[in-house]
């Protein structure tokens, strides 16, 4: 409970008690926050840090340890190590002398959500600037101590040395016993890439050892003294209303401490976790519900989206209605479909809440500790300054899953059990049925080719539900908030850029437009890794292959013929050089290619997929994925490779296997049997090559692979079978095996 004690004693009092260098942190616009409208607070809620508040800072202690603080969450993407590298590099400190504190409303700044592959671009650059400012400040102090000019000083492992008189002094001795503060101006000169010793090196992630040794790392592992356990009884369907529950029978069960029933929100708290699970089982057997049928049914979903989506609005492109597709000689159109898909987190959502001495503390794997704090404040009517949210990694996090919801559950139950940590973990069935899904999408593309086989015009029509309904301070966006006897209104996330992310081709076409048709579907949706980019790139890069066939061109050369962006061209030509590419046909084998720049302004990624047919079994196997990524300056190439490989494998699973099934009575995909994902024996070989550009700014790499992989697999299947699959998942039963000799 040391963390709680720290915050109670007051940050400034705590800091005054030891020698430190505190860097006040003023975040400039664009320096530390994502600007995606669907992934951050509204602009008027953006905070400029105050040195009296809990801001972002870096600190030296009396032992010479540098502590870095970031409001971003470690989601498994490896930002702990990468951010530590960036800070240590600017200060010329050994990486072993650096510590990091992540996402904690009691200690770190408000950096909104960890989303959109923006942690390195945002928090990383902010920390880099702070470290550069600290170095400048410390060298000015050292110059006075050593009787030298700043220009005559060098630093190795935190030891400042004067080339003039050979005298030295350590950083820790400069700050020892003093309270020093300096403002980050953002104007300090950053280290030159040619002088890097840590950035660009594949430093191994420091948290992997703890995970491998099964130490407490994930929120699911955390155990606190005197902790009790809770389970939530979710309704069988979204619309279900609780008619009756004999809670007195549940209360009598062994180990049960309390049964909480508030409207449709029902939970049990017990001494032991197993006792809470047994009680939940009994509750489900005794509860009576009333619900309405879900519409439209899955079989009519895509047709309903096109029929009942709104009339549409041109959201990207030339928006020139005077230029018509019909002006061109050859036209082609196709329609692609993406189903609802889930995060499928391996560890079901979990949180711990503690209500003690008028202070509510929540341990959570949320992607935004500050937004969750404001949402819980709204839910339980406790002021934000009485709530602290401490971030911990979750076992599987790819966007807005159930982390915020279970945080709300824990808050509601913690106030029912004052003084005891209440641990809430969802059951697998609830995780699958209640997490927000990636939205189903319908994508219709029409394009025209001229006589030279060049694309002259392109139009995409998108039908999609929202890709972001994060709580952002609104209790009605939590499941529990809507299930209370006096429910909070669900305000949704609105329809935003997430739906048409990456829908506008990066290619140089004379005319290109994107029309978005918003649609409110039957299932709960929000942010899933890459948002709409996955579906949009699947359609776009599949259609590019179809156009190449129509034009009689090599699909790779066809793309190069339409690309002027030199970085885009280089990832493609590098992939060809590394993985090979030709039009030679080999029986039973297929190869496919795809490319995209994530969000059209972040990492470039090209991928080659190779599939092998099993004619006898009428199935196929994804044999290998080879990718080339350009994320600008590569802070940690090993981290980029790991992130990209993981993204490729997850995207392959989505593309080949995954869709949420539902019926009139609700979601039917409630287990790994009913929602299969790629198993270890089916995981393809992966190989990733990184183009490092140390002279450029670093770009996020976490979501670059999702879309291109889907299209590359579809293109490889077409190459092998002649069947063009336009509806995900690309299951073998959709292939016309009669075409294959």
């Amino acid at each position: 409970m040391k963390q709680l004690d720290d915050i109670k004693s007051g940050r400034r009092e705590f800091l005054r008690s030891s020698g430190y260098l505190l860097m006040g942190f003023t975040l400039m616009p664009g320096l530390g926050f994502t600007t995606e409208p669907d992934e951050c607070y509204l602009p008027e809620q953006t905070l400029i840090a105050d040195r009296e508040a809990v801001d972002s800072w870096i600190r030296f202690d009396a032992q010479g340890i540098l502590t870095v603080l970031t409001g971003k969450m470690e989601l498994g993407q490896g930002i702990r190590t990468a951010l530590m590298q960036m800070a240590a590099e600017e200060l010329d400190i050994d990486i072993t002398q650096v510590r990091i504190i992540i996402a904690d409303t009691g200690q770190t700044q408000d950096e909104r959500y960890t989303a959109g592959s923006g942690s390195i671009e945002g928090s990383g650059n902010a920390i880099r600037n702070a470290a550069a400012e600290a170095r400048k400040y410390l060298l000015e102090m050292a110059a006075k101590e050593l009787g030298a000019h700043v220009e005559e000083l060098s630093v190795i492992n935190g030891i400042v040395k004067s080339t003039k008189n050979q005298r030295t002094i350590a950083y820790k001795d400069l700050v020892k016993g003093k309270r020093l503060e300096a403002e980050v101006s953002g104007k300090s000169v950053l280290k030159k890439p040619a002088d890097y010793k840590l950035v660009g090196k594949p430093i191994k992630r420091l948290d992997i050892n703890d995970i491998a040794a099964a130490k407490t790392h994930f929120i699911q592992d955390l155990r606190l003294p005197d902790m009790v356990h809770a389970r939530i009884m979710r309704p069988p369907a979204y619309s279900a209303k609780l008619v009756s529950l004999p809670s007195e029978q549940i209360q009598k069960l062994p180990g049960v401490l309390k049964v909480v029933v508030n409207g449709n929100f029902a939970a049990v708290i017990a001494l032991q976790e197993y006792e809470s699970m047994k009680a939940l089982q009994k509750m489900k057997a005794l509860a009576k519900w009333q619900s309405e049928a879900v519409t439209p049914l899955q079989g009519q979903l895509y047709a309903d989206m096109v029929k009942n989506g709104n009339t549409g609005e041109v959201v990207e492109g030339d928006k020139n209605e005077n230029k018509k597709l019909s002006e061109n000689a050859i036209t082609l159109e196709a329609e692609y479909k993406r189903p609802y898909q889930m995060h499928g987190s391996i560890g079901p959502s979990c949180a711990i809440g503690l209500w003690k001495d008028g202070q509510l503390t929540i341990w959570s794997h949320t992607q935004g500790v500050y937004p969750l704090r404001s949402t819980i404040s709204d839910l339980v009517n406790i002021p934000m300054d009485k709530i602290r949210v401490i971030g911990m990694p979750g076992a599987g996090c790819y966007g807005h899953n159930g982390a915020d919801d279970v945080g709300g559950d824990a808050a509601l139950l913690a106030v029912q059990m004052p003084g005891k940590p209440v641990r809430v973990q969802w059951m697998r069935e609830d995780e699958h049925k209640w997490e927000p899904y990636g939205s189903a999408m319908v994508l219709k593309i029409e394009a025209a080719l001229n006589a030279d086989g060049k694309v002259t015009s392109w139009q995409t029509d998108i039908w999609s539900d929202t890709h972001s309904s994060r709580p952002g301070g609104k209790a009605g966006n939590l499941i529990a908030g809507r299930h209370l006897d006096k429910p909070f209104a669900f305000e949704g996330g609105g329809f935003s850029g997430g739906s048409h992310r990456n829908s506008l081709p990066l290619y140089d076409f004379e005319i290109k437009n994107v029309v978005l048709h918003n649609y409110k579907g039957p299932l709960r949706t929000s942010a899933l890794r890459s948002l709409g980019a996955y579906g949009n790139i699947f359609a776009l890069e599949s259609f590019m292959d179809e156009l190449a066939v129509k034009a009689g061109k090599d699909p790779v050369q066809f793309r190069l013929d339409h690309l002027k962006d030199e970085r885009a061209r280089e990832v493609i030509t590098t992939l060809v050089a590394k993985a090979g590419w030709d039009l030679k046909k080999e029986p039973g084998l297929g190869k496919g290619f795809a490319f995209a720049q994530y969000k059209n302004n972040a990492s470039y990624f090209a991928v080659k997929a190779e599939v092998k047919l099993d004619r006898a079994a009428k199935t196929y196997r994804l044999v290998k994925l080879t990718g080339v990524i350009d994320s600008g300056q590569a802070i940690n190439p090993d981290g980029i490779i790991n992130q990209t490989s993981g993204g490729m494998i997850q995207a392959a699973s989505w593309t080949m296997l995954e869709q949420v099934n539902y019926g009139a009575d609700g979601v039917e995909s409630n287990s790994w049997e009913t929602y299969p994902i790629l198993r270890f024996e089916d995981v393809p070989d992966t190989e990733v090559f990184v183009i490092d550009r140390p002279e450029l700014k670093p770009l996020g790499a976490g979501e670059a692979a999702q879309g291109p992989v889907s299209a590359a697999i579809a293109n490889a299947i077409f190459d092998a079978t002649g069947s063009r699959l336009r509806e995900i998942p690309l299951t073998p039963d959709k292939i016309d095996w009669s075409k294959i000799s």
Side-chain angles (χ1 to χ4, degrees):
M1 306 308 293
K2 183 175 183 303
Q3 289 174 306
L4 279 177
D5 295 338
D6 287 350
I7 191 172
K8 285 179 182 176
S9 67
R11 165 177 168 263
R12 298 188 67 78
E13 185 61 31
F14 167 71
L15 294 173
R16 282 191 176 99
S17 66
S18 63
Y20 68 95
L21 170 64
L22 170 71
M23 300 304 299
F25 219 104
T26 302
L27 287 172
M28 301 303 173
L31 188 62
F33 301 137
T34 174
T35 56
E36 288 288 318
D38 54 325
E39 296 178 0
C40 63
Y41 281 152
L42 297 174
E44 59 268 27
Q45 292 175 291
T46 299
L47 303 176
I48 299 298
D50 173 337
R51 275 191 284 172
E52 292 293 327
V54 180
D55 307 332
S56 173
W57 32 263
I58 61 175
R59 183 177 78 225
F60 275 109
D61 64 20
Q63 288 71 46
I65 300 296
L66 173 71
T67 299
V68 176
L69 295 101
T70 175
K72 297 294 186 182
M73 270 289 285
E74 174 62 67
L75 306 175
Q77 75 278 51
I79 62 167
R80 283 176 185 266
T81 304
L83 296 178
M84 290 163 65
Q85 277 181 258
M86 297 176 82
E89 181 68 75
E90 288 298 325
L91 281 156
D92 278 312
I93 298 174
D94 191 300
I95 191 79
T96 61
Q97 300 301 302
V98 184
R99 304 287 182 269
I100 190 166
I101 296 172
I102 63 167
D104 178 348
T105 60
Q107 300 189 78
T108 64
Q109 66 164 340
D110 184 354
E111 292 193 80
R112 312 303 193 261
Y113 290 106
T114 305
S117 298
S119 296
I120 293 297
E121 290 182 70
S123 194
N125 284 335
I127 288 170
R128 173 178 271 170
N129 276 282
E133 200 81 42
R135 178 188 173 96
K136 176 175 177 288
Y137 191 87
L138 289 165
L139 289 184
E140 288 171 352
M141 292 176 64
K144 294 177 182 176
E145 292 285 335
L146 300 177
H149 297 291
V150 170
E151 296 77 21
E152 297 166 346
L153 303 179
S154 62
V155 186
I156 298 176
N157 291 339
I159 307 296
V160 185
K161 182 178 181 180
S162 166
T163 55
K164 178 182 177 182
N165 55 29
Q166 303 303 306
R167 293 176 61 196
T168 63
I169 188 167
Y171 282 156
K172 65 178 183 179
D173 294 325
L174 287 169
V175 300
K176 187 176 181 180
K178 304 171 187 173
R179 187 174 72 84
L180 307 169
E181 293 189 15
E183 195 91 17
V184 175
S185 67
K187 297 177 181 178
S188 289
V189 177
L190 300 176
K191 206 170 177 180
K192 295 178 181 177
D195 297 328
Y196 284 164
K197 298 180 179 66
L198 293 171
V199 166
K201 299 294 188 297
I203 293 175
K204 301 299 182 186
R205 279 176 53 181
L206 305 175
D207 52 352
I208 295 296
N209 289 346
D210 287 347
I211 297 173
K215 293 183 179 177
T216 299
H217 175 81
F218 298 113
I219 179 68
Q220 288 86 355
D221 302 325
L222 183 62
R223 298 292 185 274
L224 299 177
D226 206 23
M227 189 169 73
V228 296
H229 298 265
R231 285 293 188 276
I232 311 296
M233 181 176 70
R234 295 285 181 221
Y238 290 168
S239 64
K241 306 292 184 187
L242 183 61
V243 175
S244 66
L245 175 68
S247 55
E248 66 283 359
Q249 294 186 38
I250 309 302
Q251 189 70 56
K252 296 175 183 175
L253 295 175
V256 170
L257 298 172
K258 193 163 192 174
V259 178
V260 178
V261 180
N262 185 340
N264 293 316
F265 180 81
V268 59
I269 306 171
L271 281 171
Q272 302 297 325
E273 185 170 18
Y274 184 65
E275 293 167 339
S276 70
M277 295 168 66
K278 292 290 288 183
L280 173 63
Q281 195 174 37
K282 188 71 173 179
M283 290 170 72
K284 287 184 174 180
L286 297 175
K288 296 188 182 307
W289 300 89
Q290 189 173 52
S291 61
E292 299 174 357
V294 177
T295 58
L297 291 175
Q298 191 169 346
Q300 289 86 50
L301 176 65
Y302 295 130
D304 190 73
M305 293 179 76
V306 174
K307 179 181 178 182
N308 292 318
N310 71 8
T311 54
E313 175 189 3
V314 178
V315 289
E316 289 192 70
D318 305 298
K319 304 181 181 179
N320 188 339
E321 297 181 356
N322 295 323
K323 296 181 179 179
K324 303 294 185 183
L325 297 178
S326 58
E327 295 172 1
N328 298 281
I330 307 171
T331 62
L332 187 69
E333 66 177 66
E335 189 171 276
Y336 302 85
K337 303 178 182 77
R338 172 205 174 169
Y340 290 109
Q341 292 175 314
M342 64 175 65
H343 298 76
S345 300
I346 295 299
S349 294
C350 180
I352 297 174
L354 173 62
W355 174 240
K356 185 177 181 181
D357 300 331
Q359 176 79 36
L360 179 62
T361 304
I362 302 294
W363 287 262
S364 167
H365 55 114
T366 176
Q367 287 186 274
V369 288
Y370 279 90
L372 179 58
R373 184 181 69 162
S374 62
T375 306
I376 288 175
S377 174
D378 190 35
L379 180 70
V380 296
N381 195 28
I382 294 174
M384 282 196 283
D385 63 0
K386 298 295 183 184
I387 302 173
R388 180 183 182 186
V389 178
I390 300 172
M392 287 190 70
C397 183
Y398 316 105
H400 178 196
N401 57 8
D404 293 325
D405 291 300
V406 75
D409 296 339
L412 285 169
L413 297 178
V415 297
Q416 297 287 327
M417 295 292 291
K420 289 186 179 295
V422 179
R423 178 180 183 272
V424 186
Q425 181 161 334
W426 286 8
M427 302 300 289
R428 169 55 55 194
E429 177 183 1
D430 297 327
E431 184 73 30
H432 271 43
K433 292 176 67 173
W434 285 93
E435 64 147 279
Y437 306 124
S439 177
M441 301 174 74
V442 176
L443 307 118
K444 180 181 177 183
I445 305 178
E446 184 178 10
L449 294 163
N450 65 18
D452 297 326
K454 297 277 289 200
V455 178
T456 56
S457 61
W458 177 294
Q459 175 159 320
T460 301
D461 281 79
I462 304 169
W463 288 265
S464 175
D465 203 336
T466 181
H467 289 261
S468 182
S469 58
R470 294 184 188 272
K474 296 172 286 191
N477 283 23
L478 297 178
I479 297 171
R482 297 199 296 278
H483 286 172
L484 297 177
D485 186 45
K486 295 181 179 178
F488 291 83
F490 175 62
E491 299 179 26
F495 296 99
S496 60
S499 298
H500 55 90
R501 179 176 292 180
N502 269 110
S503 58
L504 191 71
L506 198 66
Y507 301 106
D508 299 299
F509 304 149
E510 183 181 347
I511 307 169
K512 44 188 177 182
N513 280 314
V514 176
V515 178
L516 176 63
H517 306 263
N518 293 321
Y519 172 79
K520 184 68 189 79
L523 302 188
R524 185 187 185 207
T525 62
S526 193
L528 175 61
R529 195 174 187 177
S530 81
L531 309 189
Y534 169 71
N536 287 319
I537 297 171
F538 165 67
L540 194 162
E541 284 293 297
S542 293
F543 197 63
M544 282 297 286
D545 249 44
E546 296 201 51
L547 288 170
V549 172
K550 188 82 171 178
K553 300 287 184 67
D554 177 315
V556 173
Q557 188 59 49
F558 185 71
R559 287 170 171 83
L560 290 171
D561 290 344
H562 290 87
L563 271 176
K564 293 177 182 174
D565 187 313
E566 288 302 321
R567 292 175 71 178
R569 293 178 63 86
E570 188 170 341
V571 295
I572 294 174
T573 55
T574 302
L575 178 62
V576 170
K578 297 291 186 182
W581 183 264
D582 58 45
L583 296 179
K584 182 181 176 183
K585 292 284 187 182
E586 297 182 57
L589 301 177
K591 55 184 178 295
F593 177 90
F595 154 82
Q597 182 190 17
Y598 184 52
K599 296 192 281 191
N600 285 359
N601 60 20
S603 292
Y604 296 83
F605 180 71
V607 62
K608 176 184 176 184
E610 298 172 67
V611 300
K612 184 176 182 179
L613 303 183
D614 182 341
R615 294 186 184 85
K618 292 186 176 179
T619 190
Y620 72 92
R621 177 181 174 82
L622 179 62
V623 178
K624 185 174 183 180
L625 292 168
T626 308
V628 174
I629 187 166
D630 171 359
S631 296
Q633 181 185 80
I635 303 298
N636 187 324
D638 188 56
I640 293 174
I641 291 171
N642 292 338
Q643 272 283 77
T644 306
S645 295
M648 291 160 71
I649 293 168
Q650 184 181 44
S653 181
W654 289 354
T655 304
M656 297 166 65
L657 296 170
E658 297 186 32
Q659 73 172 353
V660 175
N661 292 312
Y662 70 94
D665 295 329
V667 174
E668 296 168 348
S669 298
N670 58 5
S671 67
W672 294 121
E673 287 72 32
T674 52
Y675 188 86
I677 61 174
L678 212 59
R679 303 294 174 129
F680 281 114
E681 64 266 24
D682 297 319
V683 169
D685 292 337
T686 60
E687 193 171 17
V688 177
F689 299 92
V690 177
I691 297 176
D692 187 10
R693 299 186 184 278
E695 75 282 5
L696 300 180
K697 68 176 184 178
L699 301 169
E703 298 170 313
Q706 303 308 115
V709 165
S710 63
I713 294 172
N715 296 336
I717 292 171
F718 175 78
D719 183 56
T721 68
S723 292
R724 172 59 64 182
L725 305 191
R726 301 189 181 95
E727 181 178 338
I728 294 172
L730 309 181
T731 47
D733 61 290
K734 295 174 181 173
I735 295 171
D736 184 354
W737 292 95
S738 67
K739 287 184 178 179
I740 305 167
S741 58

